[in-house]
């Protein structure tokens, strides 16, 4: 397996940020879901939004429902270029993070290999954060980023510290020597309910640079 420091460092930064975000995000989301829908995990999210809004920056553009909150990259030290938060009555329920940056030695790697490196990190390097890390689905053809092939997986995990469970979709696409990364996460109970909206967001993405 080809393994470069550049990717390992990138993977560490993304995963470390994701873990820190998740610890706060899922605690808040879990409590908010209970307040909105009660304890019943079969409660359905209601998406009454019929209006989709355009978003663009110097790297990519997309469409998103108006009841998702946009948080942009505010400095060069932030890894993710864009955060999208699903908001119901002011409460966060799901999270999408996107980055698109220059990727060292991209000509020596493939989307599949980047995905494998991410799984290695999740299974081994970050095992102190998760009591469960299970790849539920892996796909090398399902998603295209503005016509570009990608590799993706869906992961179920449980945080060791607080036993909160979640599901994660990661998509990796090497485009013109840059790595496009999309991360979608929500609680395990509600991940699949939001996935059609996330799929529509993904299909709307256009690469600018």
């Amino acid at each position: 397996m080809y393994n470069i420091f550049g990717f390992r460092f990138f993977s560490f930064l993304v995963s470390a940020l994701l873990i820190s975000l998740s610890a706060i995000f899922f605690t808040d989301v879990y409590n908010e879901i209970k307040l909105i829908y009660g304890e019943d995990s079969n409660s359905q999210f209601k998406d009454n939004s019929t209006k989709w809004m355009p978003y663009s920056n110097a790297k990519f553009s997309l469409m998103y429902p108006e009841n998702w909150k946009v948080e942009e990259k505010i400095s060069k030290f932030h890894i993710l270029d864009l955060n999208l938060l699903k908001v119901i009555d002011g409460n966060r329920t799901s999270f999408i993070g996107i980055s698109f940056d220059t990727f060292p030695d991209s000509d020596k790697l493939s989307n599949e290999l980047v995905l494998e490196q991410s799984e290695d990190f999740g299974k081994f390097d970050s095992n102190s954060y998760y009591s469960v890390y299970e790849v539920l689905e892996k796909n090398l053809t399902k998603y295209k980023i503005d016509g570009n092939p990608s590799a993706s997986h869906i992961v179920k995990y449980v945080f060791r510290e607080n036993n909160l469970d979640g599901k994660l979709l990661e998509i990796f696409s090497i485009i013109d020597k840059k790595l496009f990364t999309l991360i979608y996460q929500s609680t395990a109970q509600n991940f699949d309910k939001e996935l059609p909206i996330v799929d529509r967001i993904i299909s709307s993405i256009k690469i600018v640079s």
Side-chain angles (χ1 to χ4, degrees), residues 168-186:
L168 166 71
L169 166 68
E170 285 185 307
I171 301 174
F172 299 103
S173 180
I174 299 175
I175 305 172
D176 295 331
K177 297 184 178 181
K178 297 179 180 179
L179 179 63
F180 183 96
T181 303
L182 184 143
I183 301 163
Y184 158 57
Q185 62 182 133
S186 188

Side-chain angles (χ1 to χ4, degrees), residues 84-103:
L84 289 173
L85 296 172
K86 173 66 179 292
V87 178
I88 298 178
D89 297 330
N91 299 307
R92 296 167 294 172
T93 59
S94 297
F95 165 81
I96 295 174
I98 299 175
S99 69
F100 186 40
D101 283 302
T102 302
F103 192 44

Side-chain angles (χ1 to χ4, degrees), residues 40-72:
D40 183 4
S41 63
N42 292 320
S43 298
Q44 295 290 325
F45 280 134
K46 295 180 180 179
D47 190 348
N48 296 320
S49 173
T50 58
K51 185 176 182 181
W52 282 64
M53 308 295 292
Y55 168 83
S56 64
N57 58 30
K59 299 178 180 180
F60 56 85
S61 66
L62 53 77
M63 301 292 292
Y64 66 95
E66 63 179 346
N67 61 341
W68 286 62
K69 180 182 178 182
V70 172
E71 294 182 348
E72 294 187 278

